[in-house]
Structure formats: C-alpha cells, structure tokens
C-alpha cells in the first residue's frame, strides 16, 4: 500500500514538473514572439507565421547558439541572426521581412511565396503579385495560409474595383485570422474592409472597420500602419465633407510620423493634407503643402502623389501649362512604380490640360497612347473617359466619322461597367455627332436615350439634356 502511495505521489510530481516545463516553454515562446514582433513589425514586410517559425527555430537551438540569437534579437541585430541560421528558407523569410529583399530558394514553401506576393502589392506591382499567387499550392487543411492568400486576392480585387469579390475574400480571411490569433493580419483585413466600404460609400461600416484596425495596430505598436490608417480616416472624413475631423486625423498622423522619424509616411500625410485643402478649394494652400511634401520625401511614390496634387491645383486655377507639366511628371512616377490606375489618371489629366491649351494634337497623342497601354494592365481607371475626350477632340477637328466610332467605343466601355452617367454623356455626344451631320431625328433619339439614363443619376446632366431637347424643367 505504501509503495502504491509513493508511486502515485511520484507520478504527480513528474506530471507537475512536466506541466511546469511545458508551461514555461510556452511562455518563453510567446515572450520571444512579442520581442521579435516589436523589433521588426515596421520593417519591410512583417508576417506573423514567419515570425513564429523564427521564434521556434531560436528556442530549439543549443544553449550557446540560442543565447547568441536571443541577444542579437534584443539588440535588433537581425543581420547577425540571419548569419547564424542554417535553414536557407527561414533565412530568406527573415531577409524579406527585414529588408524586403527576395532571395533565390531551391524549394520555397507556400508561405514564402505568399510573402513575395504581399511585398509585390506593397510596391504596387499588382500584376506580378497575381502571377506569384497563381503558382502557389496551398495545403487544403492549412487555413492560415489560405486566409493569407484570400487577403492578397482581396487587395488585388479592390485595385481592380471588384468591390464585391474584395469584400467576400477579406471577410473570409478576417474570420480565420481571428481564430488563429494572427493579430497583425487581422488588423490588415479590417483595414482592407474599411477601405472597401469607404470606396463603396458605406461610411458607417468603413468607420467601424478602420477603428478596429487602428486599435489592433496600436496594440501591436505598429506606428507605420497606424499612420496609414489615420491617413485613410482623413480621406473617409474628407469624402463626407467633414473637413475639420479629416484635418484632425491627418494632424495626428503627421505628429506620429515626425515623432517616429518616418520620412516616407510623413511625405504621404502632408500630401493628403494638401489634397484636403484642394477639396476645399484652397488652391494656394494645397500647392504649398504639396511642395512641402516633395521637400520632405523625394521617394518616387510620394513625389508622384505630390506632383499629382500640384497638377490638379494648377488645373483648377486655370494654369493649363503647369497642370500639363506636373501631370506628366506624376504619370511617369506612378507608372514607374507600377501604379497604373493613378498613372493613367495623371495621363488623362495631361491630355485634358493640353486640350484646354488648344494643343489638340498633343492631347490626341497622349490619349491614344493611354488607350493602347490600358488594355495591357488591369486597373480601376475608367478608360471610357479617355475615349470620350478623344471623341470630343476629333469632333472639334470635324473628323466626324472617327469621332462617332470613338464615342461608340466609350459607350461600350460604360455599358461594361454599368456607369449610367457615362452612358448618358456618350449618348449626348453621339447626338452632337448626328446634329453635325444633319441627322436631326437620330440626334433626338440619342438625346432621349441620354435623358433616360441621366434621370435619377446626375441632376445637372439631366437638366442639360432636357434643355438640349428643348423640354422645360
């Protein structure tokens, strides 16, 4: 009996020691995760799963090497950490997270390829990201990797203006991130959803999503992401014409960027402040802030946005030559960064400025190059606008037959995107063509069709078409 009691007590002691050992190991793992996260969360490209792999690797090392790696992590010396890692794939992931450098790996796993795709998106290389995603085979039972893929797909869909697909993919990814305790990715999913709802005009939901994102990023001490969310909040308030609140969010973002010494984000925030002034019609203030943004950061992406704002301020002020100059510079910078949507918009503004200057030949060249290039790159740019402006230029040159063909091309694009206001404009333009040819009945039919599409969509356009038809308001 005594032997059984001693055996039982011994088993309890062993079980207790084992529990303590396991609990201590788990606490060490969680503590190391927090340390690594804090050190590299604002680096080139953070990944929770890659960070967890690094933490497990360090804790499994022999005592001497483990101590060296822990000391290097605490000193933020990840170059030294990388030199001590004998796993090529993990070393490549660490390099990508810290410096944004992609390494050649003999057998990259799905996570590494997903990180590559994410880095491409960070650089606005949407087509390259989509190409990388197509190569990835994700294990069916690995829901975390599947969620990462869904979030990337959502961002690409958002870029291409497929808002329904973007929201479905991001919402599905969010649920998994919450279950897997992937807080950084959860915050990213909230941010993407907030952006989707902002673009969709569902402002209350956008506000909720962005606040959830901001709360998580602050908890994780990711100042760069926090600045970005604050900037997006500024845009959300601005589009609702809540300009004082927008200014407050942008001011908070600027203060944080200055405190952390983040020149890149500071340039973007000052550019957004310039855009806020532009939306309120304060052209001089907008120009001053845009030039300040250029001074703060000469990085291509930031310089592109600042040049873009300078072009729009000049255009609004009627300074067409300056508008053309800055718009062309912005377009070159955007396209160099593979930001095709913004680049095409700036190209379009360049053509508008040339047309306003009476340089219709130059405007036509820009528009034809834009239309040709757009077909090779998916983006949210509405190429129908380029067709419409080109048609108006041809009509001005009395090239009626080509103008009619171009307006029909614009109409085809508008039907594809179901833009009723654009459809109405194109029918009104076709009516102008028919009038110029003396086809009064065809012109009347086109105007009536334009009126039907404009009703309930654009009040000013509706009144203009009614006036063209000779109908009283």
């Amino acid at each position: 009996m005594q032997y059984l009691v001693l055996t039982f007590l011994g088993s309890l002691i062993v079980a207790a020691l084992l529990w303590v050992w396991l609990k201590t190991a788990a606490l060490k793992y969680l503590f190391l995760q927090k340390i690594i996260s804090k050190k590299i969360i604002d680096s080139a490209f953070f990944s929770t799963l890659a960070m967890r792999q690094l933490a497990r690797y360090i804790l499994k090392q022999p005592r001497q090497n483990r101590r060296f790696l822990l000391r290097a992590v605490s000193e933020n010396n990840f170059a030294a950490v990388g030199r001590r890692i004998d796993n090529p794939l993990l070393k490549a992931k660490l390099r990508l997270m810290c410096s944004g450098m992609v390494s050649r790996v003999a057998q990259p796993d799905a996570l590494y390829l997903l990180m590559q795709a994410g880095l491409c998106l960070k650089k606005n290389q949407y087509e390259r990201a989509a190409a990388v995603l197509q190569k990835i085979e994700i294990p069916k039972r690995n829901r975390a990797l599947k969620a990462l893929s869904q979030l990337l797909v959502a961002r690409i869909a958002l870029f291409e203006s497929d808002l329904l697909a973007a929201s479905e993919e991001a919402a599905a990814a969010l649920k998994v991130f919450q279950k897997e305790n992937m807080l950084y990715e959860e915050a990213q999913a909230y941010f993407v959803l907030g952006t989707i709802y902002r673009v969709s005009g569902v402002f209350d939901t956008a506000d909720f999503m962005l606040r959830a994102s901001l709360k998580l990023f602050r908890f994780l001490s990711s100042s760069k992401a926090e600045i970005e969310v604050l900037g997006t909040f500024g845009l959300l308030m601005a589009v609702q014409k809540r300009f004082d609140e927008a200014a407050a969010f942008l001011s908070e973002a600027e203060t944080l960027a200055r405190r952390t010494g983040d020149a890149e984000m500071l340039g973007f925030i000052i550019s957004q402040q310039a855009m806020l002034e532009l939306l309120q019609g304060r052209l001089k203030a907008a120009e001053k802030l845009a030039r300040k943004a250029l001074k703060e950061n000469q990085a291509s992406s930031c310089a592109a946005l600042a040049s873009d704002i300078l072009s729009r301020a000049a255009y609004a002020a009627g300074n067409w030559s300056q508008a053309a100059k800055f718009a062309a510079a912005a377009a070159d910078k955007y396209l160099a960064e593979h930001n095709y949507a913004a680049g095409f918009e700036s190209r379009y503004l360049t053509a508008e400025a040339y047309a306003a200057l009476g340089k219709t030949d130059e405007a036509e060249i820009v528009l034809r190059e834009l239309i040709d290039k757009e077909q090779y790159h998916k983006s949210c740019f509405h190429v129908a606008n380029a067709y419409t402006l080109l048609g108006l230029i041809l009509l001005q040159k009395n090239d009626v037959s080509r103008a009619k063909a171009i307006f029909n091309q614009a109409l085809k694009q508008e039907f594809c995107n179901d833009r009723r206001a654009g459809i109405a404009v194109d029918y009104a333009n076709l009516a102008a063509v028919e009038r110029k040819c003396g086809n009064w009945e065809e012109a009347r039919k086109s105007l009536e069709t334009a009126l039907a599409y404009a009703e309930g969509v654009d009040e000013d356009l509706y009144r203009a078409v009614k006036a063209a038809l000779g109908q009283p308001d």
Side-chain angles (χ1 to χ4, degrees), residues 403-404 407-408 411 415 420-455 461-462 464-471:
K404 184 175 181 178
F407 285 138
N408 277 312
L411 192 58
F415 272 119
R420 293 179 63 86
I423 293 169
V425 167
D426 290 328
Y427 272 116
N429 288 330
L430 285 169
V433 171
E434 298 298 346
R435 282 200 307 269
K436 208 170 187 68
C437 296
N439 300 327
W440 307 109
E441 183 60 24
E442 288 299 319
R444 184 186 63 77
K445 288 179 181 178
S446 292
L447 282 173
E448 287 175 349
T449 306
L451 190 68
Y453 277 102
E455 187 175 8
L461 178 61
Y462 182 75
V465 176
K466 282 190 77 173
L469 274 167
Q471 296 181 5

Side-chain angles (χ1 to χ4, degrees), residues 32 120 263 378 467:
L32 182 54
C120 289
K378 286 185 177 181

Side-chain angles (χ1 to χ4, degrees), residues 186-434:
E186 181 183 343
Q188 285 184 316
Y190 273 124
F191 179 68
V192 170
L193 285 166
T195 304
I196 292 167
Y197 285 113
R198 176 181 66 80
V199 174
S200 302
V202 188
F203 299 132
D204 289 345
T205 308
D207 188 285
F208 172 81
M209 295 294 179
L210 290 175
R211 289 187 188 281
S213 175
L214 186 62
K215 183 178 180 181
L216 283 170
F217 281 133
R218 281 176 171 166
F219 175 77
L220 295 166
S221 301
S222 178
S223 59
K224 186 178 288 290
E226 183 181 345
I227 294 166
E228 187 175 8
V229 178
L230 288 169
T232 303
F233 254 123
L235 293 176
L236 177 63
M237 296 299 125
V239 78
Q240 298 176 78
K241 296 185 179 181
R242 295 160 62 178
F243 296 123
D244 290 341
E245 292 170 85
F249 277 116
L250 292 175
S251 177
E252 185 180 355
E254 181 188 0
T255 300
L256 181 57
R258 291 190 184 280
R259 189 172 74 239
T260 57
D262 194 329
E264 180 183 5
M265 293 306 298
L266 178 60
F268 275 114
I269 293 302
I270 294 174
S271 293
Q272 288 177 324
Q273 290 173 328
M275 188 171 290
L276 182 61
E277 296 293 343
L278 186 63
L279 289 171
Q280 297 175 83
R282 301 170 185 167
L283 304 183
K284 290 291 183 183
E287 180 183 347
K288 183 178 179 181
L289 283 168
R291 292 187 183 279
K292 183 180 178 182
L294 281 173
K295 185 178 179 181
E296 289 285 351
N297 185 6
Q298 288 295 321
S300 182
S301 53
C302 180
L305 180 57
S307 299
D308 190 350
I309 292 166
L310 286 169
S311 69
R312 295 181 188 281
Y315 190 88
N319 191 342
W320 317 124
S321 57
Q322 282 290 92
K325 172 188 169 184
F326 283 118
D332 289 342
K333 290 180 174 67
Y334 278 134
L335 294 174
E337 294 281 314
H338 304 282
N339 190 345
Y340 294 107
F344 293 155
E345 288 287 355
S346 291
R347 279 278 184 265
Y348 177 73
L349 183 59
T350 306
E352 281 191 307
Y354 280 141
L357 285 166
K359 296 182 178 181
T360 53
D361 290 340
E362 289 89 337
E364 183 177 348
I365 290 169
V366 172
L367 288 168
R368 289 193 182 281
E369 289 178 349
L370 170 55
I371 290 168
D372 180 64
K373 193 165 188 175
E374 190 276 339
Q375 63 182 317
Y376 299 107
H377 303 284
K378 286 185 177 181
S379 76
C380 56
F381 173 72
H382 291 293
V383 72
N385 294 338
Y387 278 111
T388 299
L389 181 56
L390 180 56
L392 291 171
I393 289 170
L394 292 172
L395 192 60
Q396 185 180 342
K397 291 180 175 182
N398 288 317
D399 193 343
V400 180
S401 60
R402 285 206 297 164
K404 184 175 181 178
I406 290 296
F407 285 138
N408 277 312
Q409 285 289 335
L411 192 58
K412 181 180 177 182
Q413 294 290 332
E414 298 291 23
F415 272 119
C416 286
N417 294 304
D418 194 26
R419 293 210 308 169
R420 293 179 63 86
I423 293 169
V425 167
D426 290 328
Y427 272 116
N429 288 330
L430 285 169
V433 171
E434 298 298 346

